[in-house]
């Protein structure tokens, strides 16, 4: 009886997600219902994920960024996310602990998945982030970070790396925890998105 509210979400997955994300049972069940509405097959494709992301950014182009986010959470690289991978993605990008978020950010920036980040990979993600910045907001960016190239140079400079150096996960996390400026430069968390996610949590 008690399990009927959660649809087909098993108690085991529910408990596991409560532990790993700190979302409540009610939140998880509500999200599962809306997830099944969007994805009746129980898995979300890259295109569907991009579509959900696009709703958060009606006045921008989040396609490239959404693709990178999707890749970083597609744990088994099968081109789809199941509910568990989807919830972990939601949690990590909105409510995770700083160290968890940075582990995720590293996998986001490690485009080819080889365990190290190159400057060209930083530029690739920063270019995707810039496509989501509202043109009006872009006008107010400081001169030394108002293009993807300048921002990538600034990030790389903070890590003290030469152009052809690589950045390990440990260096990435330690450097970012030690320097709030790097954290600001590598992420894209406009207030609008945070507010919309909060609304979604209240009214899934």
């Amino acid at each position: 009886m008690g399990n009927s509210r959660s649809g087909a979400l098993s108690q085991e997955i529910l408990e596991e997600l409560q532990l790993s994300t700190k979302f409540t049972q009610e939140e998880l069940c509500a999200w599962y219902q809306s997830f099944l509405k969007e994805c009746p097959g129980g898995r979300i494709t890259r295109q569907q994920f991009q579509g959900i992301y696009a709703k958060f950014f009606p006045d921008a182009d989040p396609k490239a960024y959404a693709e990178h986010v999707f890749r970083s959470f597609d744990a088994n690289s099968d081109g789809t996310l199941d509910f568990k991978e989807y919830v972990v993605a939601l949690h990590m990008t909105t409510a995770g602990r700083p160290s968890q978020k940075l582990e995720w950010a590293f996998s986001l920036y490690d485009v080819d998945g080889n365990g190290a980040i190159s400057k060209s990979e930083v530029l690739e993600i920063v270019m995707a982030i810039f496509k989501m910045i509202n043109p009006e907001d872009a006008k107010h960016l400081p001169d030394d970070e108002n293009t993807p190239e300048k921002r990538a140079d600034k990030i790389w400079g903070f890590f003290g790396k030469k152009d052809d150096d690589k950045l390990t996960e440990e260096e990435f996390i330690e450097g970012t925890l030690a320097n709030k400026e790097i954290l600001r430069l590598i992420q894209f968390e406009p207030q609008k998105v945070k507010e919309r996610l909060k609304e979604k949590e209240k009214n899934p």
Side-chain angles (χ1 to χ4, degrees), residues 64-81:
Y65 189 72
E67 192 155 319
H68 286 298
V69 172
F70 184 93
R71 167 188 52 76
S72 70
F73 287 112
D74 182 9
N76 57 2
S77 306
D78 69 351
T80 64
L81 298 184

Side-chain angles (χ1 to χ4, degrees), residues 90-151:
L90 264 182
H91 170 70
M92 206 69 91
T93 51
T94 59
R97 293 194 311 272
S99 59
Q100 279 183 316
K101 277 188 168 184
L102 291 179
E103 281 170 24
W104 167 67
F106 181 83
S107 67
L108 179 71
Y109 277 83
D110 182 12
V111 176
D112 63 8
N114 71 348
I117 294 174
S118 65
K119 189 178 179 186
S120 62
E121 287 175 318
V122 169
L123 179 60
E124 188 172 337
I125 301 297
V126 171
M127 284 169 81
I129 287 173
F130 262 73
K131 286 182 180 167
M132 297 195 300
I133 298 176
N134 180 306
E136 207 42 54
D137 294 341
K139 288 179 191 167
H140 304 295
L141 290 171
D143 280 348
D144 62 348
E145 57 184 73
N146 61 5
T147 70
E149 290 75 14
K150 286 182 190 174
R151 183 175 284 205

